[in-house]
Structures are given as C-alpha cells and as structure tokens.
Amino acid sequence: MRPPLCVDLDGTLIRTDLLYETLLAALSRRPWIVFLLPVWLVSGRAHLKARLLEAAGDGVDVDLLPLTDDLVAYLRSERAAGRRIELVSASDQRIVDRVAARVGVFDAALGSDGRTNLKGPTKARLLIDRHPDGFVYAGDARADLVVWDRAVGAVLVNDGRTLHDAALARAPIEAAFGTPSSMLSALFRALRPHQWAKNTLILLPLLLTRGYEESAVLLSAVATILLFSLAASGTYLLNDLLDLSADRSHPSKRSRPLASGALPIPTALVLAPVFVLAGLVGTVLIDVDVFLCLLAYLVLTALYSFGLKTQTVIDVLTLGALFTLRLLAGHLLVEDGVPAWLLVFSMAFFTSLALVKRLTEVRGLEERGLVSVPGRGYRAGDGPFILVIGLATGIASVLIFMIYLVADPLHEIRLASPEWLWVVPAVLGWWLPRVWLLASRGQMHDDPVVFALKDRASLCLGLVALGAVLLAG
C-alpha cells in the first residue's frame, strides 16, 4: 500500500495564506484590533491565528479561496485509488476543517489549536508519530524542508528551481504541480497601469487655459500625473485587499493578482502604504494645494474602500468626486484655473460612467442567478433604476458643458478659437448614449475606461475631442 499523502494548506492546497486572509477580514470588521496584534503575537502565532479567526467571524469565505486545481485533481484521483490523504496545516483547526469539507478528499484534517503552531519541526514530529512507516508530504515553501527530511516522498507545489533541488536532496519527488508566478508581472497587473490614463485629466485645465505654454506649469502637471498614478496604485492594492471575496465571486475579477493568489497578500500590504506615502511626499514638493487635493483624494478613496462602496448612489457619487479631484489638481496648477462649470460637468459625467459600471455588474448578477455580491449595495433587478439615473446624469453633463460654452465669456479670452469646443459636447452626445446602449445589452466591459481604451470608435472620438480642444487654443 502506498504511504499516506499529507498535504499542506497555505500556498499548497490554496494559492494564498489564511493568516493574512483572516487578518484582512478581521481588520475590515474591527479596524481597532490592529493595536491588539502585538499583544496576541506575544502569546504565540497559534494564539494570534485563533484570535484573528474569532475577530474575522464569517469574513473568510473558504468556498471562494483559490485552489491549486491540478493538485486537487491529483488528490481526488489518489483518493479514488484508495490512498489515505490528510490535510496538515499551521492554520487554525477551525478553518482547516472548513477547507477540508469544501475539497472533500481528506481522511483527516489537522491544524493549530491556539497553543501549538503546527509548522516546521512541530509538524514533522506529529507526522512521524502518526505515520511511523512513512508518509509523503506536499508543500511549497522552505519551511517544509524539515518535514521532507523525515518523509519518504515529496510532492512540490509552485516550486522554483532552488526549492526543487533542496527538496530532492531530502526525499524523492513523487509529483509536482502548479507553476511559480512571476511576482513582478503580477505586481504590475495589480497596479493597474491602464487606470493611470484617468490622471491625464490633470492636463485638461492646461489645455483650456493654454497653461501648457509655461514650461514650469507643464512640468509640474506631468509630475503631478505621475505622483497621482503612484498613489492611486497604492489605493488599488488596498481596495483589492479589502475586496477579495467580492472579486473572487466575480467572473472576471477573480483573475486579479490578489484574488487569484498570484500576488502574495504581504507584498501588497507593504507596498500599498509605500506608494501612497511617495505620492504625498512628492506633491508636497510641487505645491501644497496639490498635496491637499491628493490627500482629499486618498481620504475619499479610503472611505470608499472601507464602507462607501456598499452604499447605493453614494458609491457612484464618490467615484465621480474622485475624477473631479483630478481635474481640480490640474486647476490648482494654473493661474486663474478653470470655471466651476467644468468641475460640475466632471462630477455629472463621471458619475454617469460609474453607473455604467454598476449596471454591468448588476447584469452579471442576473446572468449568474445571484441576488447580490459581497461588499456591494446593488442587487439583481436594480438595472432599470441605474439606467435611468445614469442616462440622466450623462445627458446633464453634456448640457452643463454647453451652458459653459454659452454663458461663460472667459473662455473667449483664454482661447484663440473657442468655437472648436462645441465639438466636445457633440462627441459626448453621441458617445454616452452608445455606451449606455451597450451596457444595457450586456456588451460593456466591467470598467468603461478600459472599454474606451480598447474600443476603436471610442478612441477615434477621443482623438476628435482632443483635436478640437487643441484647435480651440
């Protein structure tokens, strides 16, 4: 009979780490426990894991955790052949039991008990006592080397060349599964560089006031775009960390680096504040008012991530305000800035686009037969309401732009040929209804900005509008 196969959990059976999963879930429910973490850790990692799990409550949905699919398929085939399979993890026993029940192939599930952390030498001793005739161990990390020292075989998961050789020196390799993901590639995708295009809004006030003719102003605007992009990427990491369950239940967002396990949670936890802090420090050097604008953007983003995104209507107004703050940052770099009409236009226009995103999400809910998604306030059946409000705000934005052109005489002073600006509401008056029609048909990308960057007609219209603005100057 083949020796029993003992399987690690974190990074092996699942492509994530339950310590950090429970940490995020606990902090999202009770942020103040951050001050208790050092106290809990003093009593040992097993105690810390137990207390985090209690604080997290039902915040960790084990049914959505990303599995190592090829390993699971192998475990099922081995179980069907009559082999004994055990799940042995340093995670808390209660959540180990839940994961084992989900996968449904294990004869036993062993985890930490709040006092003893079942990792490394402790795990090795336990397995030797349970299986004196030998066992095969499946793992993914250097901490597992001490277990492979006492095993009769090894199963490697997501191993790199160094770990492969180290494990082979200790036990014959029975099988290997998964492939180690590229950390840099996963991080680059998590930073969402395509979203940096939103920060080019900072340049619009320069175009409408010919502020780009001053090299110092232009240089400051470009630096501001880079710093806003850096800080925004930090907030994207934060939002993805807090949105793991919602992303994993979404048909396309589940492939995001953090949701899929391609990017380790600790990496994002470290880099998110680093990127945000770098953006803040940089804008202080440019202009204090721009710094305050970025600070307001980050505070509003944090409020959105920690609760506003669950509030219907308020969530899309918040997204509209985040876009408008970018425009305001550019306004602050230009003497006399831009009229309030443009800021009001921005608020209406981007609120409409945010509602496009919500309509797409609701349509997706209905197609999958779901009622709601964790972390969101909208439900299946809300589509007609979203459609009405979204079209209304979109049309309002076009009208506001036209009122600006008619009622504000300053643009005639600032610009050489202001009549070209009439092309902009003409373009928007065609593009917005098209976007809403595609969204109502279920043919819209989850993010209308991504759609606009990939859609040929949108790109052509964008170039027409940009050309009109440049000709107006």
Side-chain angles (χ1 to χ4, degrees):
M1 180 178 292
R2 302 184 70 187
L5 176 55
C6 302
V7 184
D8 183 36
L9 177 56
D10 299 315
T12 303
L13 182 68
I14 60 174
R15 296 176 59 85
T16 185
D17 190 318
L18 285 173
L19 171 61
Y20 297 102
E21 294 278 344
T22 52
L23 172 64
L24 290 174
L27 289 175
S28 65
R29 294 181 72 236
R30 302 174 183 175
W32 59 87
I33 69 167
V34 68
F35 302 108
L36 297 176
L37 297 181
V39 179
W40 292 346
L41 185 58
V42 167
S43 298
R45 290 177 69 87
H47 178 75
L48 172 67
K49 294 172 184 178
R51 296 303 300 268
L52 284 175
L53 187 59
E54 292 165 4
D58 297 328
V60 180
D61 190 339
V62 298
D63 292 331
L64 296 175
L65 294 174
L67 299 173
T68 306
D69 293 324
D70 50 357
L71 173 63
V72 172
Y74 179 73
L75 296 178
R76 286 175 176 155
S77 66
E78 291 294 292
R79 175 67 184 277
R83 189 175 192 179
R84 182 176 178 83
I85 302 177
E86 298 180 349
L87 182 60
V88 188
S89 172
S91 293
D92 190 84
Q93 181 70 57
R94 291 164 292 180
I95 200 164
V96 172
D97 288 338
R98 289 164 57 191
V99 175
R102 172 195 173 184
V103 179
V105 300
F106 298 105
D107 295 290
L110 307 171
S112 299
D113 59 5
R115 297 181 300 277
T116 302
N117 191 42
L118 196 58
K119 185 175 183 178
T122 303
K123 182 184 290 188
R125 287 193 296 270
L126 175 69
L127 293 179
I128 292 169
D129 292 341
R130 287 179 63 85
H131 308 293
D133 294 330
F135 62 91
V136 174
Y137 180 72
D140 72 296
R142 298 196 66 82
D144 297 318
L145 293 176
V146 67
V147 184
W148 281 318
D149 271 330
R150 311 304 296 270
V152 298
V155 172
L156 303 184
V157 179
N158 301 320
D159 65 303
R161 186 75 255 170
T162 302
L163 181 63
H164 184 280
D165 293 342
L168 183 60
R170 290 163 170 79
I173 296 176
E174 177 180 305
F177 301 97
T179 54
S181 57
S182 169
M183 178 79 72
L184 288 178
S185 175
L187 176 60
F188 185 72
R189 288 189 293 118
L191 297 180
R192 303 186 206 175
H194 61 277
Q195 299 285 7
W196 297 343
K198 298 175 180 178
N199 296 315
T200 57
L201 276 173
I202 292 169
L203 289 175
L204 186 56
L206 276 70
L207 296 175
L208 293 176
T209 61
R210 303 176 69 175
Y212 56 84
E213 295 178 349
E214 298 182 35
S215 57
V217 173
L218 181 59
L219 183 61
S220 295
V222 172
T224 301
I225 290 173
L226 295 175
L227 292 168
F228 261 72
S229 298
L230 190 64
S233 289
T235 66
Y236 296 146
L237 290 175
L238 173 63
N239 190 64
D240 285 353
L241 285 169
L242 298 174
D243 244 4
L244 287 175
S245 292
D247 286 350
R248 287 169 180 161
S249 64
H250 193 278
S252 61
K253 292 181 181 179
R254 68 179 60 173
S255 63
R256 285 180 172 176
L258 281 165
S260 66
L263 181 66
I265 290 175
T267 300
L269 283 172
V270 171
L271 291 181
V274 169
F275 288 157
V276 169
L277 184 60
L280 288 171
V281 171
T283 51
V284 166
L285 300 176
I286 293 175
D287 186 277
V288 174
D289 288 336
V290 173
F291 161 77
L292 293 175
C293 192
L294 177 57
L295 182 61
Y297 172 90
L298 294 172
V299 169
L300 195 57
T301 299
L303 291 174
Y304 177 82
S305 296
F306 280 102
L308 293 183
K309 65 186 176 185
T310 66
Q311 306 299 313
T312 56
V313 180
I314 293 177
D315 63 332
V316 291
L317 291 173
T318 302
L319 293 175
L322 291 174
F323 278 97
T324 303
L325 281 169
R326 293 175 169 102
L327 198 62
L328 180 60
H331 156 80
L332 294 170
L333 293 172
V334 179
E335 187 176 354
D336 296 329
V338 294
W341 285 111
L342 194 60
L343 301 179
V344 177
F345 155 79
S346 172
M347 189 68 190
F349 178 74
F350 289 110
T351 297
S352 181
L353 290 188
L355 285 162
V356 169
K357 188 173 184 177
R358 293 296 175 259
L359 180 62
T360 303
E361 292 174 351
V362 167
R363 289 283 188 265
L365 277 179
E366 294 168 348
E367 291 173 1
R368 302 195 306 274
L370 301 176
V371 176
S372 62
V373 171
R376 291 290 183 267
Y378 298 92
R379 300 178 180 179
D382 287 343
F385 167 79
I386 296 173
L387 181 61
V388 169
I389 301 299
L391 278 171
T393 53
I395 293 171
S397 71
V398 177
L399 292 175
I400 290 167
F401 201 103
M402 295 172 68
I403 291 172
Y404 156 63
L405 294 177
V406 172
D408 192 335
L410 291 180
H411 68 273
E412 296 184 358
I413 300 174
R414 296 186 181 102
L415 303 174
S417 304
E419 62 275 5
W420 279 104
L421 291 180
W422 282 98
V423 174
V424 176
V427 167
L428 295 179
W430 183 86
W431 184 75
L432 273 174
R434 177 173 178 267
V435 166
W436 276 102
L437 179 62
L438 293 176
S440 65
R441 290 175 175 175
Q443 299 175 350
M444 176 58 59
H445 187 279
D446 296 332
D447 190 331
V449 173
V450 175
F451 164 79
L453 292 174
K454 294 182 177 180
D455 178 60
R456 184 176 300 176
S458 298
L459 289 173
C460 290
L461 288 170
L463 290 174
V464 169
L466 176 61
V469 172
L470 293 174
L471 288 171

